[in-house]
Amino acid sequence: MSQVPVPRLARGIVVVVLAGFASVYVLAGSPLAIVAFGLQLVYVLRSLRRFRGPWLLVVQALVGYAATLGFGTSVGILGFLGGSLLLTPAWPLAPLVAVSAAVVGPADPAISMVLIALVIYGLTRLTDRVDEMYAARLALALAAAAEERLRIATGLSDGLGRGLAAIADGVRSVVDRPERTSVVDQAVDRPERTSVVDQAVDRPERTSVVDQAVDRPERVAETLGEVVATARRSLADARNAAAGYRATSLAPEMTTARAMLTAAAIETETRVGHSEPLGPAGALLAAVLREVVTEAVRQNTATTCVIETTTADGTVRLRVTHDGARTAEDEGLADLTRQLGAAGGSLTTGLSAEGRLTVDAVLPEGPAEAAEDPGAYRLSVALLAAVLVGFSIKALLFVPASLMVPAAACLAVIVVMQLRSINGRHMLALALLALLVYLPIPVFGRAWLGAAGFLAGPILLAFPWSVAWPLVGCVMASVAVSAVLLGLPVPLTVNFTASTLVTGLVVYGLLKLAQLVRELQEARQALARAAVVEERLRAARDLHDLLGHSLAAILLKCELARRLDPARARAELTDVLAMTEKAEGDLRVISGARPTLSLAAEAESARSVLAAAGIQVELGLAHAELSAEVENVLGTVLREAVTNVLRHSSARHCAITTVVEDGVVRLRVRNDGVRSSEGRPGSAGIGNLTTRLAALDGRLGTERDDDWFELTAQAPSSMHMVG
């Protein structure tokens, strides 16, 4: 798209076309055409809209008829009035103006009047639609993101939501008397009533509920085993979902596939014919490509492979062909076939007699396709066709009857080629158009001089203006020379020369606006797809940073409870219920709710989880009240840091500290027992945290010293989110 804002560019094109119309009548000796041009701008420029009203039409009528009846100007100037009437509720009067033009003037200028009215109406309406589409592009993106958020929430609720509910129910089912489980539930759901649990511990007669659970170790072990299995599955589901949401682009998977095939000595060719980002379609197609390539490498019989993507009619197609298949059946593709079908696509496989397997996957490009508004584009094409036909009729008025058929055939070819120009620059078509413009001049004479304008318009569209305008000047000069050679009088020669430029501007304006409308539709769809991708990446970050931590902590606590004595197991069971409630809150955040984390609460939770893992914790919080945005992000950073300590180290000591200096809060997490560089810079977790801190104008730092690792996050202590 142009660097100039699209609405401004569209209105600039209309102003230039109107100026071209007015210049023809100014050259013919009618200064009132300047007034007609100025009045018409009220309908084009938004800053002048306040001057619109019935009085403006009256003034335009006075100017138009004064020019034609008082000063002998061509009736074509009434096209300004006709176009304005079509733009207002008084549009039924426009045909009357056309009739008056036909009565006052000859057919040629009367047709010009109708064409000018149509062009003014069409271009002005198109610019209004461009304004509306441009203004609605963000709303479309927000709607697409909201729809994707709802889809994500539904999917997570059906999967992870049920898993969390099963974990909570499993822990509660340890108690033999369900009606008494409300004691624990109330303590978890209502923190202010945690004394109920304390009373159960301090007063033996109240401990029967928990005692019944811990006095039956075989049942506790069995139930906690089920809970552990559910937590492990849920954690794996969360990580897989996060990976799936991140896989919104097919291009990286194609690069990986090529590297895998090349490493396996398989000659590989990739043909990329799609645009990124693909959004949800990218994840499914990446999964298909991954499965096919993995199977080809596993069989180790292929020698060549072709990976190709194409887009057409709102769909994206992935085709993978290789010569190493023994059969067209692939169990791994069965589930993907169902997933593509559910997403509105298809997946087919075929095996040739030569043993070449072809896997064809087709999916809709994205949810924004349904939001496309073809009305404006169709209007622009229809208007262009009507104007081209009108100009052609004008030319045929001066063609002898004996030459009417070949002239009409040539003009029909020119009209079709003009309509094809909407789809881009075609040099071969432009060369053919030039031949159709110049070769018939000796045959059709002056009637064919007006066709040069059909060449000037595509030239302006096909070349940079530094090249196009000199070429248009050459076309105008050629028309002037041809008119002189045909013996036309000077006024008529000037008229044909100026009309070449005006016709070229009209054709250029209609073609360009049609392109702008289409490009704006594509840009809106791309913006909506990008919003969907961003929503999926947000969900992936939250799944990894929030729910992943909670599920890992639940898994750790349940594993610990299985190895503890009854008294200590009781406390762990209560913690698991609290953590489950916390995880359910995390799930709501991932589904779109705004997170409300507390850095202090997260630090205490980190101390509990690390201590349960046998890690000595040093906690030193020296920060005062922070803004909600900073609390949320630093709380998430702390969660990820603690998760990495548990997963990627054999730590025995961990220090968590905060300090505020010069309006900047710094969180440090330092631990020993570093085993490898996993989970360090470059991992998904570190990348997520960097993104979150960048939104606060903060930054993330890491440092490693022998077996010690330190993560530092800093951000302004009090601010609003940026962006």
Side-chain angles (χ1 to χ4, degrees), residues 21 26 45 49 107 117 169-170 215 237 262 329 353 457 465 487 510 556 585 611 616 618 623 631 637 641 680 708-709:
F21 281 144
V26 172
L45 303 179
R49 283 184 175 180
D169 291 342
D215 287 344
D237 289 344
T262 302
E329 299 297 328
W465 280 22
L510 292 171
L556 176 65
Q616 182 178 348
E618 176 187 342
H623 66 274
E631 289 264 5
V637 171
R680 305 317 181 197
W708 283 87
F709 180 82

Side-chain angles (χ1 to χ4, degrees), residues 29 32 54 64 82 111-112 153 270 317 343 361 403 405 411 420 486 499 558 567 591 624 681 686 690:
L32 285 177
I111 293 175
S112 296
T270 57
R317 178 187 299 271
L403 299 176
V405 173
L411 286 171
R420 282 173 51 87
L486 291 173
S499 295
C558 290
S591 300
I686 296 296
T690 301

Side-chain angles (χ1 to χ4, degrees), residues 564-702:
L564 294 178
D565 59 81
R568 293 180 61 190
R570 180 172 56 229
E572 300 303 333
L573 289 175
T574 304
D575 283 351
V576 168
L577 288 174
M579 289 177 176
T580 302
E581 180 184 345
K582 181 179 180 182
E584 290 172 341
D586 292 339
L587 190 58
R588 289 191 293 271
V589 168
I590 297 168
S591 300
R594 187 174 179 82
T596 54
L597 302 182
S598 165
L599 182 55
E602 289 300 319
E604 288 297 332
S605 175
R607 186 214 296 267
S608 173
V609 172
L610 291 171
I615 300 174
Q616 182 178 348
V617 181
E618 176 187 342
L619 193 62
L621 304 182
H623 66 274
E625 183 178 354
L626 303 175
S627 67
E629 293 87 353
V630 176
E631 289 264 5
N632 285 330
V633 173
L634 291 184
T636 303
V637 171
L638 181 55
R639 282 192 182 190
E640 174 65 18
V642 171
T643 300
N644 281 340
V645 171
L646 295 172
R647 292 179 59 193
H648 304 301
S649 77
S650 54
R652 288 293 173 264
H653 300 85
C654 181
I656 302 172
T657 60
T658 61
V659 63
V660 178
E661 297 175 348
D662 301 326
V664 175
V665 58
R666 289 180 178 84
L667 166 68
R668 289 187 177 89
V669 180
R670 179 177 173 83
N671 66 277
D672 62 357
V674 177
R675 294 195 300 261
S676 69
S677 60
E678 291 181 354
R680 305 317 181 197
S683 71
I686 296 296
N688 293 345
L689 301 182
T690 301
T691 301
R692 293 176 185 275
L693 284 165
L696 295 175
D697 197 24
R699 60 187 178 88
L700 187 73
T702 59

Side-chain angles (χ1 to χ4, degrees), residues 151-371:
R151 193 195 67 79
I152 290 172
T154 301
L156 294 179
S157 177
D158 290 343
L160 292 173
R162 285 201 302 266
L164 290 172
I167 292 171
D169 291 342
V171 173
R172 292 191 181 102
S173 69
V174 173
V175 181
D176 287 337
R177 297 173 61 186
E179 69 275 7
R180 297 289 300 276
T181 59
S182 59
V183 173
V184 179
D185 292 341
Q186 293 172 9
V188 174
D189 296 335
R190 300 176 60 182
E192 69 276 7
R193 297 188 62 180
T194 55
S195 59
V196 175
V197 178
D198 296 336
Q199 292 170 11
V201 175
D202 296 336
R203 298 170 59 185
E205 68 277 8
R206 298 287 298 276
T207 62
S208 58
V209 173
V210 180
D211 289 342
Q212 290 173 14
V214 297
D215 287 344
R216 299 186 179 187
E218 70 284 353
R219 179 168 181 178
V220 171
E222 178 183 352
T223 304
L224 285 182
E226 295 174 356
V227 171
V228 166
T230 302
R232 186 172 287 113
R233 285 196 303 270
S234 297
L235 181 58
D237 289 344
R239 289 171 179 167
N240 290 335
Y245 291 145
R246 282 194 294 270
T248 56
S249 175
L250 182 57
E253 191 64 38
M254 293 182 70
T255 302
T256 302
R258 185 184 184 94
M260 290 177 59
L261 293 167
T262 302
I266 300 174
E267 184 179 345
T268 307
E269 180 183 357
T270 57
R271 305 167 187 166
V272 180
H274 71 278
S275 299
E276 297 286 357
L278 287 176
L284 280 176
L285 294 179
V288 172
L289 179 58
R290 190 180 309 117
E291 173 62 29
V292 176
V293 169
T294 301
E295 183 64 16
V297 172
R298 186 186 66 81
Q299 292 184 3
N300 197 29
T301 57
T303 59
T304 62
C305 181
V306 177
I307 303 171
E308 180 181 14
T309 61
T310 57
T311 56
D313 301 325
T315 63
V316 58
R317 178 187 299 271
L318 168 68
R319 178 174 293 169
V320 185
T321 304
H322 66 81
D323 60 357
R326 299 186 182 92
T327 174
E329 299 297 328
D330 185 346
E331 295 181 0
L333 291 177
D335 186 56
L336 288 171
T337 301
R338 289 190 293 270
Q339 292 183 45
L340 265 71
S346 64
L347 191 152
T348 58
T349 60
L351 186 65
S352 69
E354 295 79 18
R356 296 192 67 83
L357 174 69
T358 298
V359 178
D360 218 347
V362 182
L363 276 173
E365 282 193 80
E369 299 299 327

Side-chain angles (χ1 to χ4, degrees), residues 10 13-14 123 126-127 380 508-517:
I13 291 172
V14 177
L123 292 183
L126 281 174
T127 54
S380 63
Y508 166 77
L510 292 171
L511 289 171
K512 188 63 177 179
L513 275 180
Q515 285 188 349
L516 285 178
V517 168

